[in-house]
Amino acid sequence: MIPEGSPPKCRHGWEALRSDPLPWLLDEAQPSAAWQTLIEIVGRPADSVAVARARGRANVTPPISNLLRPLNPDGTWVLTCDQWDAFAGGAWRLAAATQLGADPSDPRLQTAAERFLDAIQGDGGFTQDPRATARLLAAFAKLGWRSHPRFVEALAWIEHKTSIAPDDGKDACLSDGESRTSRIVAAAVLQTLESAAWLDSRAKLAQWARDTLLEYVGVTVGSQLDLRMPNLLTTDRGEALWSLVLSGCDLPASAAGSLRLLQKMQDEKARWTVTEKPEQSLELGGFQGLSPEEPCPWLSVRSVRTLLASAVSCKLPRVFPAKP
């Protein structure tokens, strides 16, 4: 099951799973999910041989290859639309690809990120929509561009949005932490910061994001959660729970209701399925792993990580079959 080298708190929550999902999650047919599994669940270092081998195949395998097909080696996109057109533009393709496990060392992605950051003029966000800016910040963080001046400026703009007073009730103000926009931004912020050093350096912003998502997952409605993959101008409680765990947050008892619904939604092989198809404009080629008809490996990586980290503290019921 979960090996001894797993990340902290991940070795004691396996009873919350209905089966051992590792053989399926590590299937070579889906290298973009496999390398994330090795890091998030198995606990392999990012520079290990196994991770590098799987990651190196991610961008030539669907659905990543479908997203990046219009991307030239020089970082330009062969598209007839603006880079921000929802969701066919290059900015959204880049954000979706990184969420699905694109190889961040791909020279095309690196050059595309550099071109984007160098081209964005002025101060503030990449656009006036904090959701779009936050999602791109998370993508650039995964690609290793946290030190770029334009990245730092956009992150500071997001932080300012969380601290200013409401302006005529406009949703662009995030200080209340209760709006749908706030939840989307909060999830992306925790994915952007992620590492302990960055969480500490932006402690106030990280705390705002955690408080926003903890309030969100503390309320459960209905008999199941909405689960999407990738998350662009949306979020859901599954992503919120994973983002909190990713940032090292210990989920409180108030999150147990959402966790139980997430646990309930796994199938007999401990796999999760999205509840909605992704936006057609992403041109994912009808990939079945992102449809409600087939289990989704990328969503399953997130869900397994979340349950392993939180099952014991939130007292989730045992569903793993007893030993014969």
Side-chain angles (χ1 to χ4, degrees):
M1 189 55 177
I2 306 303
E4 287 300 314
S6 302
K9 298 187 292 184
C10 284
R11 294 193 301 273
H12 309 292
W14 58 269
E15 293 183 342
L17 303 175
R18 291 199 175 106
S19 183
D20 181 357
L22 286 184
W24 179 67
L25 291 176
L26 294 173
D27 190 334
E28 292 184 354
Q30 286 306 325
S32 57
W35 78 262
Q36 294 180 91
T37 300
L38 286 167
I39 292 175
E40 288 211 34
I41 299 174
V42 180
R44 290 288 183 89
D47 59 355
S48 68
V49 173
V51 171
R53 184 185 300 116
R55 193 174 55 209
R57 296 175 47 244
N59 293 6
V60 295
T61 307
I64 307 297
S65 59
N66 298 335
L67 286 167
L68 301 184
R69 188 176 293 118
L71 182 58
N72 286 327
D74 65 356
T76 59
W77 295 87
V78 184
L79 296 167
T80 59
C81 60
D82 180 82
Q83 65 178 351
W84 284 110
D85 279 6
F87 291 94
W92 294 115
R93 286 172 179 266
L94 189 147
T98 55
Q99 285 189 35
L100 293 171
D103 178 7
S105 67
D106 186 329
R108 295 177 300 162
L109 282 176
Q110 288 295 319
T111 306
E114 185 175 19
R115 276 181 171 274
F116 183 97
L117 289 166
D118 287 346
I120 297 295
Q121 303 296 320
D123 300 328
F126 301 138
T127 76
Q128 290 305 304
D129 187 340
R131 300 171 301 173
T133 293
R135 288 300 186 190
L136 260 292
L137 283 169
F140 292 140
K142 287 188 177 182
L143 295 174
W145 286 89
R146 287 189 179 101
S147 298
H148 193 284
R150 199 61 186 82
F151 179 101
V152 175
E153 169 62 29
L155 185 60
W157 180 78
I158 289 288
E159 187 166 24
H160 175 66
K161 286 287 185 182
T162 69
S163 60
I164 61 175
D167 180 17
D168 298 329
K170 292 181 180 178
D171 207 21
C173 173
L174 307 173
S175 59
D176 60 7
E178 297 177 356
S179 70
R180 179 172 175 269
T181 292
S182 296
R183 297 191 293 264
I184 296 167
V185 172
V189 160
L190 292 186
Q191 294 165 40
T192 298
L193 300 177
E194 186 182 355
S195 69
W198 274 87
L199 288 163
D200 290 343
S201 69
R202 299 280 181 168
K204 185 177 180 180
L205 178 61
Q207 191 59 54
W208 168 85
R210 286 171 174 152
D211 290 344
T212 298
L213 295 185
L214 286 171
E215 182 176 357
Y216 179 38
V217 301
V219 177
T220 55
V221 179
S223 59
Q224 69 172 21
L225 305 179
D226 291 330
L227 299 176
R228 305 175 184 87
M229 196 73 197
N231 294 97
L232 298 174
L233 291 180
T234 62
T235 190
D236 52 64
R237 286 180 175 82
E239 185 192 25
L241 290 165
W242 172 73
S243 299
L244 287 162
V245 166
L246 195 68
S247 73
C249 179
D250 293 322
L251 296 183
S254 61
S258 290
L259 281 166
R260 288 193 184 96
L261 289 180
L262 183 68
Q263 180 189 32
K264 177 184 174 183
M265 292 178 71
Q266 66 183 301
D267 66 14
E268 292 305 312
K269 296 182 179 180
R271 305 174 302 182
W272 279 258
T273 303
V274 297
T275 56
E276 296 181 22
K277 290 183 178 181
E279 297 289 342
Q280 291 186 358
S281 54
L282 279 173
E283 298 179 358
L284 291 166
F287 188 76
Q288 286 300 300
L290 294 171
S291 74
E293 290 78 33
E294 296 285 342
C296 177
W298 303 275
L299 175 61
S300 297
V301 173
R302 290 183 173 186
S303 301
V304 170
R305 169 73 183 274
T306 300
L307 291 188
L308 289 177
S310 310
V312 174
S313 61
C314 289
K315 300 180 180 179
L316 296 187
R318 174 184 175 129
V319 295
F320 194 84
K323 293 182 179 180

